Amino acid sequence: METEITQQATKLRPASANGRAFASGLGTALPFLALLVVGVAFPLFGGGYWGVIATRACVYWVLVSGLNLVVGFAGQIAIGWVALLTLGAYTTSVLVAGNVMAPLSPYLALAIAALVGAVFGLIVGLPALRLRTFYFAITTLGFATIVTQVALAWQSVTGGGVGVPGPVFPEPFSSQWGFYYFCFGFAAVCTWMTANIAESRFGRALAAIRDAEVAAEASGISKPVLLGKVFLFAGATAAVAGGLFASLQSYITPDAFTLDLSILFFIAILIGGRSSILGPLLGTILLTALPEFAAPLVAWSTFLYAVLLLIIVLAIPGGISEMLDFKNRRALESNRAIVPRPELVARLFDSVPNAGTLTLDQVTLSFGGVLAIDGLDLEIRPGQLHGLIGPNGSGKTTTLNVISGYYAPQRGAVRLNGKAIPALARDQRAHMRIARTFQTPRIVGSATVLENVMIGGTIDGNGTFVESLLSLPRHRRDEAMLRDTAMLALEAVGLERLASVRADRLQHAELRFTEIARALMLRPAFLLLDEPAAGLSAEEIARLSALLQAIARAGTGVLVVEHHPDLIFDICDQVTVLNLGRTLAAGTPAQIRSHREVVNAYLGA
Amino acid sequence: MPLTRRQALASAAAAVASTVAKPAIAAKEPILIGYLPALTGPSSSTGVGINRGIQLAVQEINAAGGIDGRQIELITRDTQSDPTKAVNGAAELTRGQKVSVVFGPVNSGESLAVVPLLARTNTPQVHPCWVDTLTDPKKYPMCFRNAPTNQQIGGAANRYVVDVLKHKKVAVISDTTGYGTASVNAYVPMLKAKGAEVVYQSNVDAANPDLKPEILRMRSAGAEAIMPWSVNAGFLSRIINTRGQMEWNVPIVGQTTLGSGQTQALLEKPDYWAKVYPNNFRPVCYTPDGKLTDRTTAFLDRLKSAKIEMADTLLWWIALGYDSPRMIAEAMKNVGSEAEQIVGYLNNLKEFPGVYGDMSFTPDRHDGYPDEEVVMVEANSLKNGAFKLAPGYSA
Amino acid sequence: MVSSIVLSGTAIGCIYALIAVTYNVMFSASRVFSFTAGTLGMLGGVLGSLFIARMGLPVAIGFLLVLAGGAVLGIVTEIVAVRPVLKSLDQHLYVLSTLALALMIQQFTAIEWSTEPLPFPRLFDIARVEFDQQFWLPMLACLVVIVSLELLYRHTLIGHAFIAIAEDNYAARALGLPERRLRMTSFALAGVIGTLAGFAGGEMLLAFFANAPMLTFYGFVPVALGGMGNNRGAVVAGLMLGLFQQTANFLVGGIFASVAVFSVFIIVLLARPEGLVGAALQRRV
């Protein structure tokens, strides 16, 4: 199945686009290659002192690369991550010094520190799932203080205020440049691994959690599971960075792990920009090297970092990566038209979805004292277009939200093929092949249109997080499959020319069609559309109709919530009219159009 | 490690050769001395005091023609009381500036990180930090301490509390720096060995504004003397103030900073300074008949004419700062500025005449301060920068 | 021992409660938590020491200047760190902008004032007693602020306007309430309360730049536990926090006290993310 779609997609993609793709790939890789060359050749032109600074930058980057996934990609405001640096530094040093058990080899100690860091990364990060942003930020600060206090108090192990010598790595890493290459190696590997994640379904899913959480859930992305993996990884890299830091310092005391360091890591990511590897990498190098240029700068360094942060937040929230994004400065053609190709829809589906019927069975939902839905019966059959109309406040969107799993009805149930589906399992809907679009388009503005669409197919990837980290074959197959399917979906909705454009540059109508393409990635058995025609021109509505009809013909059961009765009457097989949460009328368009009560309450003469 | 005869001959030969072989131009190059004080930050009182002495000494040496015509250039890197910055600074001084010798850091917490680093780069180092493990002729053959050790200091203080004041129940308190922690760890066993009972011991964050809980716990435990070990003037002043506010009349015996002008300035009431007995050093203290040594008197005059401020610091810090570059210059004048030469000279130094003490080193002992010169003084006897010996203190 | 714990625990609890109120006042005007609340508390102490101890101004003048400074800083926060990001689509930028501003102020204070705690002047030159001014000053300040806020919100037009803006922003604007001016006034008020907390607590906390992160954390705990925007909950939670902390301090000592406070905080918060009193968050889809 994959190969067939890949073949179709390659046929559709002109040869020049292939060449362009290669060139843009090289363009993305070029800065990294340049840094790699500079880094490897550094000992040749950098003196001993700058070697220490360069080593320090590499060590910091090892931590920041992992934290970048948490802060830059997933958007979690984890300010106190220095706690994990402290943990890693002490674990490695204590194990090598032999304060707790027989001394271990530094490599083994570093590996153990990574494991400890992973576990604690999870512990520190998990409150993010329960707490609001600001609360989570404060708790991470609290963790940072706690770890330092414990290091001070646990004298028998950590030496307390006296501290403990850092590990010395054996030849060839014990000389200055040997150790530099050791740290540089880790930094390079971390860059590679996190770049792999960035270009994987996990990286896109993280961005979705950050910028369009509702859409992420609808695409089947489980926030706890994904964040858990990322916290494990970020904790591990931070701990490894800690071990390297302890070795670089040659001696660690609790007061070496200041809040200022935490701020440095955090700000490096923010000035670097979100969903970027290069940005935070440059940010880390900049912030590590900046204070060294002038002695007064050392005292004012944290002040400068804060000023930089403020400027970035107010002026360039996208950070360095946005400044370097030359591709997206090019003007887009004006008077763009969205020309869907409905005939391509069928090619997306390899088989007719066969999940039975989706029914609402006497669903009743109230919010406090307000009765939003009162005993609603609804049936969506495969291959059918079902319209849901009614005045404002009649409960149309609420009905969609009940099906999506945002609210649990007090009475009644949503059934798939007769069996009730769990009321609040929002991220399970995608697995049931129930897809939806939203009243206001929920997209990741900083990602390209293609990436946004690929988010829709996240659950169809088979590779694990680790396989993506290491760019193993299954990850690459997933990427190829998702990319080709997404391109096909974009062709079908008529947006293929905008595939590599940042989504926040699109017009409103284009965003709506993008959401449809994203929903199509699931080859949905049921597609729920929330006012898809709002803000569309007459021409676009006509094209939307043709597209929706093609989707229904491919076997999907489509539920359209709409304000434009014309669209509904044109294409729907069945129409339900809601008023004040109750069914006012249900039937074919012809029946509804002439229904007296509907005309009185809603349609007018 | 003791020099073999061959090594001694070799270094002597090298010394001669280098003095002869140096071309005329090179002989005028400045001698670079690296200097790692904590001039800012929570533990900066020592560094600020030492700095005044060191600057004066370097000026005087350079004004007198330097070392064999070469001027001393003091390259300063403020550690800001931060071990990480101390490491950065040490790396820059040795690898970037390529200094001949490093003086400092002046705080033990920073030295714990820097001493092994300088040993790895084979740079001679002289420092005035007290923590015992900061010299080790085997591990750190090029590192010398021109100040007393914790053992010497604690020994004198403990002797005063237990043997002179005759108090058996003692409260030991320090801050959470490396110096504070190491001191408590060293002194508690020493007290117990003398038969005293340590009823309270704790490391407290120096920035803690409210020390009442700690002092109350000391009192409840029946302490008869408080022994604080910290160079943080604010912390020490708060201990003294809280004792005064609670009207608890026990002696405070401990770190020299208890007597510094900085601490004095932070006291709520001048009479709180009564019954406070810090360490100090005999050469810079008044003898029982109220006199200072000639060397010290001359030094005080020199400070006055150079308009160097004394009221907000301690005389012995300034004196130590003054003695240190003079000792290093003496070494270089005699044998040259190569690392091996300096180390070789220092290893055999006998009673280098310093204002605050005469330094002696051997290849097996890199702690240069003589035991018998550590004394206890009375804080509120401060006059013209010097103190009187504490009551009942004889030796 | 017990009397010391009760006195210092209540006093410091009042300081924490006042910082929590500062958070709440800013939140109720803008739906935004600002990292600058703790910084305002810190500045109350530092500016107080600067004006009265170092510059020698009379206590009353110094006090008024400190409050004025707080108001100015509150307005600056609103203009620089809050207003620009309220318009943005990204809801969480305010966390970063207020963090940046708070850090800038803290670092500036550390470098220009001192990195060490410096003494705060004794405001009333009377003898030290057990129930000393360092304890009753924060309590008095807390009482005055709470009573004044109640009167403000209940009985004055501007107080009603504040509540309107907080409850339903759109409706309030539709009614013609000057939203921006009201928000700025709210932040100015928050600035006054924050610096008042620091000034009243100066004799206990001294003039120390690192009070800022400490108050940012400990001042937020009552907000989290008492419910967002709930001033009464904040006071109760603040007092409980102060007493708990001081009990731990006096009985076991500083390090364990902060570990204990933090652990209890995180456990309670994980169990009830909306706080002990607050209402659960409703999602908007």
Side-chain angles (χ1 to χ4, degrees), chain A residues 129-333:
Chain A
L129 297 170
R130 283 276 277 175
L131 300 178
R132 259 174 295 243
T133 319
F134 192 83
Y135 288 49
F136 175 62
I138 294 269
T139 58
T140 60
L141 284 176
F143 268 117
T145 320
I146 291 306
V147 172
T148 312
Q149 300 283 51
V150 169
L152 266 174
W154 205 3
Q155 270 196 41
S156 52
V157 166
T158 65
V162 175
V164 69
V168 179
F169 287 90
E171 290 285 334
F173 303 128
S174 55
S175 68
Q176 191 204 351
W177 290 120
F179 187 63
Y180 164 73
Y181 280 120
F182 190 49
C183 296
F184 183 76
F186 274 105
V189 167
C190 283
T191 314
W192 177 68
M193 289 200 292
T194 50
N196 290 338
I197 290 291
E199 295 292 314
S200 74
R201 62 195 180 103
F202 301 102
R204 292 188 294 272
L206 288 170
I209 291 177
R210 180 191 72 217
D211 289 342
E213 194 176 330
V214 162
E217 289 168 334
S219 302
I221 297 168
S222 163
K223 185 172 167 187
V225 171
L226 184 55
L227 281 188
K229 291 176 186 161
V230 163
F231 284 129
L232 282 170
F233 179 71
T237 56
V240 168
L244 297 174
F245 179 77
S247 187
L248 180 65
Q249 288 299 100
S250 74
Y251 199 94
I252 49 168
T253 52
D255 47 10
F257 302 98
T258 55
L259 194 64
D260 285 359
L261 258 185
S262 241
I263 303 288
L264 187 157
F265 300 144
F266 187 70
I267 294 186
I269 296 172
L270 288 168
I271 69 175
R274 304 152 132 215
S275 285
S276 164
I277 306 289
L278 183 62
L281 173 53
L282 293 175
T284 308
I285 296 175
L286 178 72
L287 293 189
T288 310
L290 201 59
E292 306 298 331
F293 282 105
L297 279 182
V298 178
W300 287 92
S301 54
T302 307
F303 181 82
L304 282 172
Y305 298 159
V307 170
L308 271 173
L309 177 62
L310 192 61
I311 293 174
I312 292 281
V313 168
L314 296 181
I316 334 162
I320 295 179
S321 69
E322 186 182 304
M323 291 196 299
L324 296 178
D325 191 5
F326 303 115
K327 239 188 328 167
N328 271 293
R329 304 261 175 76
R330 258 182 266 135
L332 298 172
E333 48 171 309

Side-chain angles (χ1 to χ4, degrees), chain A residues 364-374 408-411:
Chain A
T364 303
L365 176 71
S366 46
F367 298 118
V370 179
L371 191 59
I373 307 175
D374 189 6
Q410 275 85 17
R411 277 202 298 280

